[in-house]
Amino acid sequence: MGSQSRGRRGRPAGSGRRAARGPDRTAGRSRLTRRGRIAVWTGGVLAVALIGVAGAGTWIYQNLDGNIHSADIDGKIGGDRPVNSSPGSKNILVVGSDSRDGDNGKYGKGLTTMQSDTLMVMHLAANREWATVVSLPRDSWVNIPSCDKGDGTASEPHHFKINESFAIGGSSGEVADAAACTIKTVEQNTGLRIDHFMSVDFQGFKGMVNALDGIEVCPETAINDKKAHLEMEAGCQTVRDEKALGYVRTRYSVGDGSDLGRIGRQQEFMEAVAAKAQEKLTSPNALYGFLDSATKSLTTDEALAGIKPLTALANEIKAVPSDRLTFLTVPNYPREADVPTDKANVVWQYPYAGNLFTAMAQDEETDKEKLEASTENPVYANTVRVQVLNGTGTQGRAAEVADTLRTAGFTVSSVGNAPESAKKTTVGYPQDQKAGAEMLASRLPGSAARQDTEATPGVVTLTVGQDFKALR
């Protein structure tokens, strides 16, 4: 693991089968389908339909159904939400959560709020002919809106890593509050309307692995990660209990220490969990233990809180052709490229991240290979010189926006007033600055880049209109 070279963005080369070889190496075993991966990643409990527990006895059904926690989040998100522009499609936000309470406390010294380790959005097309799952790295540097903290106070809007939204909302210890702030943050930064929410707790994950008698992993080098409480020798071995949790959480002691690498390992590990579940859970006792752990750790919005609605969702996923299920990580690059002092976070790569979210919002399928090919040469924010003009009539507005741009890594060349008031925020550019202008415009919801023959060469002009809200 530590000595692996890197292949595709954020994924260790050759680690897909090495991370969990048990389900693949026995003759006659089939490789896990993408459908199986979605089943586990969307909370494990979707396996209810996918591995045939739908016909379980009434008592088992009712007991599992009662395990699932529901969160009333609709009244907590607030207004000004994106409009669902593709009726019939579904956007489901999935969070791997860590409350730091009880047995989870050992995984976050000094952390007193709820945390999220995994964040992704699954888009299920209206015609159910395709689906896309997009991972959002927890270290994504984004705009965190003002959120209700659950204690009668609200946070101030600011930029920080995206997983802080779960912690801010979860200050009270309530998943509903944590979910509301996370949904609000994801919606503001992606433009997607989130229809459903799922949160899976660490301890439930451990129970799922234990019910399968562990999962085999094959690290290429020894791992010693004090933060993840993990010590492992190199070579193939079966992990369960705390070792399984540590393995999916380890980061700094493996590969390049990035969250992107951890996302890849988590996906591979869960692939193995789903494959082994399909193979092993043939006895009622084993199946019940697996699903009991999965459902006890699951919190959803009220509309999904039950075996019946989750089974219905699983059946919709089953209807999607296996070659039309796409797994992506939002295009990104290290924030260090724009802000040299920040060596820990990533920023989403625009305009491609914006294009991806727009396509999802409009229920249009994304070509993964084309997207990955187009993101090979990022336009970094610090290469874009911006002139900021105030078209709002509010004194000091241009200076405020300029400070936001500088924080994001842009180079602000000057600040001034626009020749006339502007309702809409616009980005004008000379011929030599098209790429930079389009990148900036895609980070400003509702704005567009237009060529300006009178623009200063080498400088992009941002005219701040009355509709300006925040920089993504």
Side-chain angles (χ1 to χ4, degrees), residues 128-459:
R128 302 302 187 261
E129 293 182 359
W130 60 274
T132 299
V133 181
V134 180
S135 292
L136 309 178
R138 59 173 285 176
D139 293 340
S140 298
W141 189 266
V142 299
N143 180 43
I144 309 290
S146 174
C147 287
D148 184 349
K149 298 170 67 175
D151 60 1
T153 65
S155 63
E156 291 293 328
H158 62 287
H159 279 79
F160 204 71
K161 59 183 63 183
I162 196 168
N163 75 323
E164 190 197 38
S165 60
F166 200 80
I168 291 173
S171 299
S172 64
E174 295 293 330
V175 174
D177 295 321
C181 188
T182 302
I183 291 172
K184 193 173 182 180
T185 299
V186 171
E187 288 188 341
Q188 184 170 113
N189 286 277
T190 67
L192 295 172
R193 174 73 176 229
I194 299 300
D195 302 296
H196 296 293
F197 168 84
M198 293 183 179
S199 173
V200 186
D201 185 75
F202 268 173
Q203 295 303 311
F205 165 81
K206 182 176 70 174
M208 291 164 64
V209 171
N210 289 350
L212 299 174
D213 293 328
I215 295 295
E216 186 179 57
V217 297
C218 300
E220 294 181 0
T221 61
I223 301 174
N224 185 7
D225 189 336
K226 292 182 179 179
K227 290 187 176 181
H229 296 266
L230 179 67
E231 289 188 12
M232 292 179 64
E233 298 179 353
C236 294
Q237 55 204 283
T238 297
V239 294
R240 55 184 299 157
D241 294 315
E242 304 304 323
K243 261 193 176 177
L245 287 180
Y247 184 80
V248 296
R249 295 195 72 253
T250 188
R251 170 180 177 178
Y252 299 104
S253 299
V254 183
D256 63 0
S258 73
D259 190 47
L260 302 178
R262 175 163 57 180
I263 287 174
R265 287 188 296 277
Q266 288 176 343
Q267 289 174 341
E268 291 153 4
F269 192 92
M270 296 306 285
E271 231 179 281
V273 169
K276 195 167 184 180
Q278 289 174 319
E279 171 201 342
K280 182 179 175 60
L281 299 182
T282 55
S283 72
N285 287 339
L287 179 59
Y288 182 79
F290 178 83
L291 294 175
D292 188 48
S293 294
T295 51
K296 281 181 178 177
S297 69
L298 186 66
T299 301
T300 74
D301 60 274
E302 291 187 319
L304 277 184
I307 297 297
K308 187 175 181 179
L310 287 168
T311 299
L313 177 59
N315 285 330
E316 290 181 323
I317 294 172
K318 286 171 66 177
V320 177
S322 60
D323 61 347
R324 300 283 295 279
L325 299 177
T326 304
F327 291 82
L328 301 168
T329 297
V330 61
N332 64 85
Y333 62 83
R335 187 167 181 258
E336 183 182 6
D338 294 326
V339 182
T341 56
D342 186 352
K343 303 183 185 302
N345 300 300
V346 299
V347 293
W348 295 349
Q349 185 181 344
Y350 289 93
Y352 306 108
N355 294 343
L356 170 62
F357 297 133
T358 297
M360 293 170 68
Q362 296 176 353
D363 205 26
E364 297 174 354
E365 193 170 9
T366 296
D367 185 318
K368 181 177 181 178
E369 292 186 359
K370 184 176 180 180
L371 176 66
E372 291 180 341
S374 65
T375 59
E376 289 300 319
N377 298 301
V379 177
Y380 299 119
N382 72 350
T383 65
V384 183
R385 298 180 64 225
V386 186
Q387 173 187 223
V388 184
L389 300 181
N390 185 0
T392 67
T394 302
Q395 186 175 359
R397 187 61 169 144
E400 292 175 0
V401 173
D403 286 342
T404 300
L405 292 174
R406 291 189 186 98
T407 300
F410 289 91
T411 301
V412 177
S413 62
S414 63
V415 175
N417 292 318
E420 55 186 22
S421 62
K423 291 184 178 180
K424 299 282 292 182
T425 298
T426 61
V427 178
Y429 64 90
Q431 187 174 2
D432 64 340
Q433 292 297 307
K434 181 179 180 180
E438 289 180 344
M439 184 271 281
L440 174 59
S442 68
R443 297 188 64 172
L444 301 169
S447 69
R450 300 184 181 88
Q451 186 172 348
D452 183 355
T453 57
E454 298 181 0
T456 304
V459 178

Side-chain angles (χ1 to χ4, degrees), residues 35-82:
R35 185 176 293 113
R37 275 184 278 173
I38 286 184
V40 174
W41 268 113
T42 50
V45 78
L46 291 191
V48 167
L50 298 181
I51 61 180
V53 74
T58 302
W59 178 83
I60 292 178
Y61 178 94
Q62 292 176 342
N63 203 45
L64 293 175
D65 194 70
N67 284 344
I68 302 169
H69 305 282
S70 67
D72 181 7
I73 58 178
D74 289 340
K76 299 177 180 291
I77 301 174
D80 196 25
R81 299 182 65 186

